[in-house]
Amino acid sequence: MDNSHVPDGGERAIFGRRLNPTDRRNFLKWSGTAAATALLAACDRTPTEPDTELAPSQAGTAAAGSGGGVTINLGNDFGILNFAYALEQLEAAFYIQVIANLYSGATSEEEGILRDLKRHEVVHREFFQAALGGAAIPGLEVDFSSIPFDSRFSVLRAALIFEDTGVAAYNGAAQFLRNGDYLEVA
């Protein structure tokens, strides 16, 4: 396998850390920072109405993309579920882009795994959209221009970050859900 596109330290430097135990506090600290950074970097962030609770009757008033923005109030269950929906939109958009621009040299096993991940993330995105109904935030426009999709290393590194961020966000936010039924949804 050609690793000429892999920076110093290579895949082992990134993925090897996953094999070594990391203390929980540092993991959660890193994951929280990564989650916030990924969402801020990937989504159009201009709020339309700060501090507005996104409830079913207000869902249609939030705008995404083209200069608009989405405000999510994490102080209520709809906000927490919309945060999860935003993460699913981000992950689905990423894997759709990966498959549309699959890096050269991808093995059939890698392609199959990436296609499966894409299908799963699209299902998750569609599930949250349907579950939230009129309370769902609008579709988000995501800018992945900083990720070189022709690089195996960059794609797999970004995938690892997005997956770890999603897991950490779910684990961190689930405790704040007030309605136990929503915990099953999440």
Side-chain angles (χ1 to χ4, degrees), residues 31-40 42-43 70 72 74 79-95 117 120-122 124-126 128-129 132 137-140 142 144 159 161-174 186:
S31 296
T33 302
T37 303
L39 276 177
L40 291 176
C43 301
V70 174
I72 299 175
L74 295 177
I80 293 168
L81 293 175
N82 269 303
F83 178 68
Y85 176 44
L87 287 171
E88 297 301 345
Q89 287 186 58
L90 173 72
E91 289 177 315
F94 172 73
Y95 288 110
L117 287 167
H120 281 106
E121 297 305 342
V122 168
H124 295 166
R125 180 194 67 199
E126 299 303 312
F128 271 100
Q129 184 179 28
L132 285 161
I137 59 173
L140 302 177
V142 184
F144 292 119
I161 291 169
F162 288 139
E163 293 301 326
D164 284 350
T165 298
V167 169
Y170 274 88
N171 287 339

Side-chain angles (χ1 to χ4, degrees), residues 8 23 27 38 41-42 55 64-65 76 83 102 105 108 111 114 120 122 133 152 160 162 164 166 170 175 177 180:
D8 288 342
D23 72 62
F27 172 75
N76 66 58
F83 178 68
L102 192 60
S108 59
E111 183 176 356
L114 291 168
H120 281 106
V122 168
R152 177 181 186 267
L160 177 65
F162 288 139
D164 284 350
Y170 274 88
Q175 65 184 320
L177 287 171

Side-chain angles (χ1 to χ4, degrees), residues 37-184:
T37 303
L39 276 177
L40 291 176
C43 301
D44 185 6
R45 312 183 297 275
T46 310
T48 54
E49 292 182 49
D51 303 320
T52 299
E53 185 173 311
L54 189 59
S57 62
Q58 297 169 321
T61 65
S66 304
V70 174
T71 299
I72 299 175
N73 179 353
L74 295 177
N76 66 58
D77 286 355
F78 283 113
I80 293 168
L81 293 175
N82 269 303
F83 178 68
Y85 176 44
L87 287 171
E88 297 301 345
Q89 287 186 58
L90 173 72
E91 289 177 315
F94 172 73
Y95 288 110
I96 289 168
Q97 187 79 12
V98 167
I99 296 304
N101 301 289
L102 192 60
Y103 51 87
S104 65
T107 66
S108 59
E109 182 181 17
E110 288 173 331
E111 183 176 356
I113 290 169
L114 291 168
R115 286 188 185 282
D116 284 347
L117 287 167
K118 175 193 148 208
R119 281 190 289 272
H120 281 106
E121 297 305 342
V122 168
V123 166
H124 295 166
R125 180 194 67 199
E126 299 303 312
F127 173 79
F128 271 100
Q129 184 179 28
L132 285 161
I137 59 173
L140 302 177
E141 291 182 18
V142 184
D143 179 3
F144 292 119
S145 61
S146 65
I147 300 173
F149 284 93
D150 60 344
S151 164
R152 177 181 186 267
F153 178 81
S154 295
V155 167
L156 296 180
R157 179 179 60 188
L160 177 65
I161 291 169
F162 288 139
E163 293 301 326
D164 284 350
T165 298
V167 169
Y170 274 88
N171 287 339
Q175 65 184 320
F176 298 111
L177 287 171
R178 293 182 186 122
N179 182 335
D181 293 338
Y182 294 147
L183 188 56
E184 282 193 43

